[in-house]
Amino acid sequence: MGGEEPEHRRLAITLVAVLLLGILELSEGEFKGDYSKISGIIIPGFASTQLRAWSILDCPYSPLDFNPLDLVWLDSTKLLSAVNCWLKCMLLDPNNQTDHPECKSRPDSGLSAITELDPGYITGPLSSVWKEWVKWCIEFGIEANAIIAAPYDWRLPPSLLEERDLYFHKLKLTFETALKLRGGPSVVFAHSLGNHVFRYFLEWLKLEIAPKQYIQWLDEHIYAYFAVGAPLLGAIGTVKATLSGETFGLPVSEGTARLMFNSFGSSLWMMPFSKYCRADGMYLKHFSGSISKGHHTYQCEPEEFQSNNSGWPTNIINIEIPSIRGFDAYPSVSEFSQTNLSSMECGLPTQLSFSAREISDGTFFKAIEDYDSDSKRILQRLKKSYHDDPVLNPLTPWDRPPIKNVFCIYGIDSKTEVGYYFAPSGKPYPDNWIITDVIYEVEGSLVSRSGNQVEGNPGAASGDETSEHDGSDVQVELNVEHHYEQDIVPNMTRSPRVKYITYYEDSESIPGKRTAVWELDKANHRNIVRSPVLMRELWLQIWHDIRVDATSNFVTKAKRGPLRDEDCYWDYGKARCAWPEYCEYRYVFGDVHLGQSCRLKNSLADTLLHYV
């Protein structure tokens, strides 16, 4: 979940970008270093770490029980045969985030915790997350102690990750141990919610290290930050999961999925928020009460009230409220949404709309608390775990992290959900809301699921829902004029049948630092970390950086070709191996089809010389 929105692209282009798994010293713009000293630290996304039982739980009417270290997330067998037991091990108390009295789960450790969530002949490939990424590292000769996983309990809000598990203390020690063990700084590779975790870590670190030593510590321990699918303005799918449930393909009802999701303190961590509103002061998280007594709000720029959509394409929530019982039923709506109230008629349902700001500051949940039993708990959690967090209110826009090299990587131009219409279902909680319509952003326009055009502010490209790029259609535009916080729209011809990679790269705006954004056409948010195209671009940039004879700041985009035997395949239309410049037919005993016999002509080292 998360990172699926086109707004991430907008902020990313003015914010951050790339990872370069490379190089340890920066001198006069030239990168020099020992490849053997690099460490890579992986911070996985939401629901991308295995959870294991730390209890003994007998499951009645099922032959399967839970014992210490048994897999909980994700064991599909026990989920199917003993769902009530499984839920006990997964659910947290929504009020204080403690475990169920009969069962508790904790995150697993090591790379195995993030490669496959449900290992098995059938379930393994379906639940693979970082396995392909680790495989690429092995194929390119990375040592086992150079790749370090930083799994965490993705159910907890940020403050409790530290309070219960000392996660951020351990992460700091991980960086320091990697430096001592390998002799060089690390590259951070974060996906989805993992980017929020890393952002919180950087703010937490400011309170742990003397201010004069903070930048020095970062320079010594972190060479580059690779932000993949970072939900820089939140993720709209969080709204759907909170109100109606998101099963993510699991064999549970949407109501059960909602009940489970709303028990997690992290459920609000990726809520959409405004690009124009910030907390008051660096560490002061008490918002001014200018809207209503006791109700905290953000300090917002004038653009927030001029744009209506908080920098998003449209209002995110449109919800039908049951018949009104008086103004007291809408304590925040009566003060915020006079235009909505003017259309109310006694006894008739009323449709209200809410922007990203009104979701993240609690206005929306206050408006529906008389009609939804979860809303009051969510408001309490929102204030305690986010608005009043002593380290950082995560529901505020990012600044570029003070790291030498930052790369943001996204999928774009997929049909992306940007708004929902909800209505009462007539059923009790947790099934009391249903989605009646969905607003999508696609091809520069907004359309509803019912096929109607929707007014709003669609971006130049939609979100992340790639394929081969041979370099033959490279188009380069240098010194592009860019207005602050505005989209850069490439003035280039594009074929609708080609999936492109668009690179925004800058090594001049901030002396000594490189920033880039890579956009991969049609790359799906959840699967982007398994994308061969992403891995190819990563390793080409790595190779470029470790070469002392490299003449440019970024790897050339003029050529692209396969880097592994697995990237070669048989072109049945031409009756030969594809990529004839790089691949040839070379049968090896045991090959069972033509594609397996297509292999690289030259060694990897020779192939990579094309990209210096």
Side-chain angles (χ1 to χ4, degrees):
M1 174 184 300
E4 301 170 27
E5 291 22 281
E7 310 317 313
H8 307 155
R9 169 185 185 271
R10 299 178 179 185
L11 188 56
I13 289 176
T14 62
L15 184 63
V16 280
V18 131
L19 149 84
L20 313 165
L21 242 184
I23 328 343
L24 310 177
E25 297 176 12
L26 176 62
S27 175
E28 299 297 326
E30 182 179 282
F31 294 93
K32 300 178 181 179
D34 184 351
Y35 184 68
S36 66
K37 293 182 179 180
I38 301 168
S39 296
I41 295 179
I42 304 172
I43 306 179
F46 182 80
S48 296
T49 295
Q50 287 182 345
L51 301 178
R52 293 190 176 273
W54 198 245
S55 302
I56 300 174
L57 178 61
D58 293 328
C59 300
Y61 314 113
S62 172
L64 302 176
D65 298 326
F66 281 96
N67 294 297
L69 301 183
D70 280 357
L71 194 59
V72 177
W73 183 267
L74 181 60
D75 187 331
S76 55
T77 302
K78 289 182 178 176
L79 171 58
L80 289 168
S81 63
V83 64
N84 289 331
C85 267
W86 181 81
L87 283 172
K88 289 179 181 179
C89 296
M90 282 297 301
L91 292 171
L92 297 175
D93 187 302
N95 296 310
N96 55 26
Q97 296 295 281
T98 56
D99 300 289
H100 191 279
E102 298 181 43
C103 185
K104 65 180 178 181
S105 299
R106 291 295 180 266
D108 201 356
S109 59
L111 285 173
S112 61
I114 66 172
T115 49
E116 287 182 344
L117 299 179
D118 189 8
Y121 182 76
I122 296 177
T123 57
L126 297 175
S127 63
S128 175
V129 185
W130 293 91
K131 186 174 183 179
E132 286 300 313
W133 195 90
V134 173
K135 184 179 177 182
W136 272 74
C137 292
I138 294 171
E139 290 186 13
F140 280 82
I142 304 299
E143 294 294 331
N145 62 2
I147 305 299
I148 305 168
Y152 57 95
D153 194 335
W154 40 268
R155 302 172 299 171
L156 295 177
S159 58
L160 286 182
L161 279 177
E162 176 63 20
E163 181 181 324
R164 195 195 75 179
D165 296 344
L166 291 178
Y167 178 78
F168 299 109
H169 269 95
K170 293 177 182 177
L171 187 57
K172 178 174 178 285
L173 288 174
T174 298
F175 283 106
E176 294 170 345
T177 303
L179 176 61
K180 188 172 184 179
L181 178 67
R182 306 282 301 171
S186 299
V187 170
V188 177
F189 196 91
H191 177 239
S192 193
L193 179 62
N195 293 283
H196 278 323
V197 173
F198 183 61
R199 179 197 184 190
Y200 192 91
F201 168 73
L202 293 178
E203 294 297 320
W204 172 87
L205 197 62
K206 290 179 181 177
L207 304 179
E208 293 293 312
I209 297 178
K212 292 183 179 180
Q213 298 175 357
Y214 176 68
I215 297 299
Q216 180 183 346
W217 191 97
L218 292 180
D219 289 344
E220 290 177 354
H221 293 85
I222 304 174
Y223 177 73
Y225 169 36
F226 201 173
V228 181
L232 299 178
L233 288 178
I236 194 171
T238 311
V239 172
K240 178 168 66 174
T242 300
L243 286 184
S244 63
E246 175 62 76
T247 66
F248 299 108
L250 296 177
V252 297
S253 68
E254 290 185 344
T256 299
R258 182 192 181 196
L259 190 70
M260 181 173 67
F261 184 77
N262 285 352
S263 78
F264 302 157
S266 64
S267 62
L268 300 175
W269 204 343
M270 291 192 293
M271 276 289 177
F273 54 87
S274 172
K275 66 185 294 184
Y276 302 117
C277 301
R278 293 181 176 270
D280 215 0
M282 184 171 293
Y283 298 114
L284 179 63
K285 302 308 170 191
H286 181 81
F287 303 155
S288 67
S290 59
I291 293 180
S292 64
K293 183 177 180 181
H295 180 68
H296 303 309
T297 185
Y298 297 94
Q299 299 299 315
C300 300
E301 300 171 13
E303 290 86 349
E304 167 63 26
F305 307 100
Q306 296 167 3
S307 68
N308 297 323
N309 300 328
S310 300
W312 287 71
T314 185
N315 282 324
I316 292 172
I317 294 178
N318 304 275
I319 190 166
E320 188 178 285
I321 298 294
S323 56
I324 187 171
R325 298 192 300 271
F327 282 87
D328 289 341
Y330 304 94
S332 61
V333 177
S334 62
E335 295 160 316
F336 279 109
S337 306
Q338 295 296 331
T339 55
N340 286 331
L341 285 176
S342 63
S343 64
M344 290 183 176
E345 296 182 21
C346 184
L348 297 177
T350 303
Q351 182 171 289
L352 305 178
S353 297
F354 297 89
S355 66
R357 171 181 60 85
E358 293 168 321
I359 296 171
S360 61
D361 72 5
T363 300
F364 164 68
F365 297 105
K366 186 69 175 176
I368 66 168
E369 68 177 337
D370 286 340
Y371 311 101
D372 191 275
S373 59
D374 247 2
S375 292
K376 185 171 290 187
R377 284 198 301 264
I378 290 175
L379 279 168
Q380 293 171 350
R381 185 190 305 160
L382 188 63
K383 180 179 186 301
K384 178 182 178 181
S385 298
Y386 295 91
H387 292 172
D388 293 342
D389 188 292
V391 174
L392 169 74
N393 175 9
L395 304 179
T396 52
W398 291 49
D399 294 317
R400 185 196 188 281
I403 297 171
K404 290 180 180 177
N405 304 286
V406 189
F407 282 39
C408 279
I409 302 174
Y410 292 98
I412 64 166
D413 277 346
S414 294
K415 188 177 182 180
T416 302
E417 295 177 356
V418 294
Y420 301 104
Y421 283 82
F422 293 95
S425 66
K427 299 178 181 178
Y429 176 85
D431 299 303
N432 51 317
W433 301 107
I434 58 171
I435 295 178
T436 58
D437 207 349
V438 180
I439 303 173
Y440 297 96
E441 185 177 42
V442 58
E443 297 181 352
S445 62
L446 299 176
V447 296
S448 68
R449 187 171 60 186
S450 54
N452 298 320
Q453 291 287 326
V454 179
E455 292 186 1
N457 302 301
S462 55
D464 52 6
E465 230 303 306
T466 160
S467 71
E468 297 300 339
H469 159 57
D470 62 10
S472 62
D473 55 353
V474 166
Q475 301 169 75
V476 178
E477 194 169 349
L478 302 176
N479 301 318
V480 176
E481 183 180 356
H482 176 230
H483 299 286
Y484 182 68
E485 291 195 350
Q486 297 297 314
D487 280 354
I488 297 176
V489 181
N491 184 24
M492 300 176 179
T493 57
R494 288 175 175 252
S495 168
R497 301 180 63 181
V498 177
K499 295 179 182 178
Y500 293 90
I501 306 173
T502 306
Y503 308 84
Y504 302 89
E505 298 175 334
D506 179 11
S507 59
E508 299 179 359
S509 297
I510 306 176
K513 290 181 169 60
R514 293 187 292 179
T515 303
V517 176
W518 297 349
E519 296 180 346
L520 280 61
D521 280 8
K522 308 298 183 183
N524 176 273
H525 174 77
R526 297 187 184 95
N527 297 326
I528 192 171
V529 294
R530 296 187 285 175
S531 166
V533 173
L534 169 62
M535 297 309 303
R536 182 192 67 200
E537 295 303 311
L538 166 64
W539 286 109
L540 290 179
Q541 188 67 57
I542 295 168
W543 175 256
H544 170 275
D545 282 356
I546 66 176
R547 299 287 300 187
V548 295
D549 55 343
T551 58
S552 61
N553 287 313
F554 298 98
V555 67
T556 177
K557 309 303 186 294
K559 277 184 173 288
R560 286 297 179 270
L563 300 181
R564 309 175 301 162
D565 287 340
E566 290 84 346
D567 300 329
C568 298
Y569 59 92
W570 185 259
D571 186 336
Y572 285 91
K574 298 181 179 178
R576 68 181 187 190
C577 292
W579 305 98
E581 181 182 352
Y582 302 93
C583 303
E584 65 181 3
Y585 182 84
R586 192 166 70 248
Y587 174 80
V588 174
F589 180 77
D591 292 347
V592 296
H593 58 78
L594 292 171
Q596 274 187 303
S597 299
C598 291
R599 291 179 167 85
L600 291 175
K601 286 182 178 181
N602 303 310
S603 67
L604 176 61
D606 291 336
T607 301
L608 289 174
L609 289 176
H610 293 286
Y611 303 101
V612 175

